[in-house]
């Protein structure tokens, strides 16, 4: 299975999704946020830190 067929990642490690450019580390942070949310983690500071990492460029 070739993941590049589903997610066209360029040489810099970013891809465009509905006109928004994401880097691969942004996907990892989003996956962690989703996992923590589905596991009902109640640590609000962890969510704040991860969101700040996501918007930090």
């Amino acid at each position: 299975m070739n993941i590049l067929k589903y997610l066209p990642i360029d040489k810099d490690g970013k891809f465009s999704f509905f006109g928004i450019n994401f880097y691969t580390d942004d996907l990892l942070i989003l996956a962690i946020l989703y996992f923590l949310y589905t596991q009902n983690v109640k640590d609000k500071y962890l969510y704040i830190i991860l969101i700040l990492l996501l918007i930090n460029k």
Side-chain angles (χ1 to χ4, degrees):
M1 183 169 131
N2 188 3
I3 195 162
L4 293 178
K5 186 169 52 172
Y6 301 108
L7 290 174
I9 299 172
D10 66 357
K11 63 180 175 137
D12 294 330
K14 67 179 178 178
F15 72 97
S16 180
F17 185 71
F18 292 121
I20 302 171
N21 291 328
F22 289 103
Y23 287 94
T24 51
D25 58 343
D26 294 339
L27 289 179
L28 181 62
I29 294 171
L30 287 172
I32 292 170
L33 282 169
Y34 177 74
F35 176 75
L36 292 173
Y37 180 74
T38 58
Q39 296 298 316
N40 295 324
V41 174
K42 301 294 183 200
D43 189 5
K44 66 180 176 180
Y45 295 112
L46 180 60
Y47 287 114
I48 291 170
I49 289 169
L50 287 172
I51 290 171
L52 287 174
L53 276 173
L54 187 63
I55 62 174
N56 187 19
K57 292 290 175 181

